[in-house]
Amino acid sequence: MSSLTESPVAVRTAPPPAPAAAPSYEEAAPAAGHPWLRRLLRGVGSVTTRVAAIAVLAAVWEVFPRLGLVDATFLPPLSEVLSAWWQLVLSGELIDHAQASLGRSLAGFGLAIAAAIPLGLLIGWYKPAATLLNPLLEVFRNTAALALLPVFVLILGLGETSKVAIIFYACSWPILLNTVSGVRTVDPLLIKSARSLGLGPLRLFQKVVLPAAVPTIFTGIRLAGAYSILILIAAEMVGAKAGLGYLINYAQYNFAVPDMYAGIITISAIGLVVNQLLIIAERRFSTWRTTS
């Protein structure tokens, strides 16, 4: 009985546990502060993951031909390919071919941006233009660019004009369609709010519609950047005397397999650089869109 009567008293009189001491500023600062350090660590982790994947691919490419798992005649080790690539660089041949390809690609790509973005803005914003041009868009958008390559060659010849024209045609469609989509999918509440503030059609398009469509437009530009490289290589394999596509085709016919893979690696590297430059430009214009 004594234990039963004493336990409630013990419970009531027991002191409450002391609260945990708050961490000092010096202890909490490393966990709460230094956001740049967290961003740096995330960036390092992302780069490490990508480099690791490329390193694994390079190791497989080097080891499999040497072990006889694949025929080294048709897939030489990566070290031989890199050696051939360096020899092409030293001779100046690779640089000349790359300059020729970049000139054609940038010309067609730039013309596509200059023509497709204004046309896409017009079709997306002005309904009579959309009604007039939509049937033509539906006909030509489903026609592959490479299927029209013989037509471009017959009409424009085997020179530079046909190559730039086919790149222009191929790059125009992703830019045009994404521009139209970007204008048409602007949030209607933004448009209503801007009109309620008294903005006219021109100011509404300039201040609301165009900035809101920028991310979608850049998606089309990035797709077009990839197309400009892919279509160019196919075009250079027909009647060209310079360019990376010509180098790959010439190396294949002469059974210079390492030179062929050197050209392919160069094309991949150029594509990565172009894509990263477009990503930087997209971030720049997106920052302008959010801060304006």
Side-chain angles (χ1 to χ4, degrees):
M1 292 293 294
S2 59
S3 61
L4 294 175
T5 56
E6 291 173 0
S7 58
V9 177
V11 170
R12 288 195 301 269
T13 58
S24 62
Y25 175 77
E26 292 78 11
E27 295 174 347
H34 304 303
W36 61 269
L37 182 58
R38 291 196 296 269
R39 290 195 298 268
L40 178 61
L41 292 177
R42 287 196 297 266
V44 170
S46 177
V47 171
T48 302
T49 302
R50 296 177 183 179
V51 171
I54 296 175
V56 170
L57 175 61
V60 170
W61 191 348
E62 178 69 25
V63 172
F64 277 28
R66 296 191 179 280
L67 295 179
L69 298 177
V70 295
D71 193 344
T73 303
F74 303 105
L75 183 63
L78 180 60
S79 58
E80 295 183 11
V81 174
L82 294 179
S83 177
W85 181 87
W86 183 244
Q87 293 300 321
L88 289 172
V89 171
L90 292 179
S91 66
E93 184 178 357
L94 184 64
I95 296 175
D96 293 339
H97 289 303
Q99 288 178 346
S101 294
L102 285 175
R104 296 163 182 156
S105 178
L106 292 177
F109 183 50
L111 289 174
I113 291 176
I117 290 180
L119 182 60
L121 294 175
L122 178 65
I123 295 173
W125 184 245
Y126 189 57
K127 290 185 178 179
T131 304
L132 176 64
L133 296 176
N134 271 338
L136 290 177
L137 297 182
E138 292 300 325
V139 170
F140 285 102
R141 66 179 291 186
N142 295 312
T143 305
L146 291 179
L148 294 177
L149 179 58
V151 179
F152 281 92
V153 171
L154 287 175
I155 296 176
L156 302 175
L158 291 172
E160 299 298 313
T161 305
S162 62
K163 296 174 179 56
V164 174
I166 192 67
I167 295 170
F168 166 74
Y169 177 84
C171 294
S172 295
W173 292 108
I175 300 175
L176 177 64
L177 297 177
N178 278 274
T179 302
V180 172
S181 176
V183 173
R184 290 179 177 175
T185 56
V186 176
D187 190 352
L189 293 178
L190 291 177
I191 298 178
K192 291 180 181 179
S193 301
R195 285 175 175 167
S196 66
L197 294 175
L199 290 182
L202 182 60
R203 297 287 291 175
L204 174 65
F205 181 80
Q206 178 185 0
K207 296 295 184 181
V208 177
V209 175
L210 184 57
V214 163
T216 308
I217 293 173
F218 263 97
T219 300
I221 292 176
R222 288 178 60 188
L223 290 173
Y227 289 172
S228 68
I229 302 296
L230 298 176
I231 300 299
L232 170 67
I233 301 307
E236 287 180 341
M237 291 181 176
V238 180
K241 295 182 179 179
L244 294 173
Y246 167 78
L247 172 64
I248 294 172
N249 205 29
Y250 180 82
Q252 178 192 7
Y253 281 138
N254 291 275
F255 213 71
V257 179
D259 291 353
M260 182 187 72
Y261 283 108
I264 295 173
I265 290 176
T266 305
I267 293 170
S268 300
I270 291 175
L272 288 175
V273 172
V274 170
N275 185 64
Q276 289 301 315
L277 292 176
L278 292 176
I279 290 175
I280 293 172
E282 179 181 2
R283 290 174 180 172
R284 169 67 181 87
F285 279 93
S286 297
T287 302
W288 164 80
R289 178 178 65 90
T290 57
T291 57
S292 61

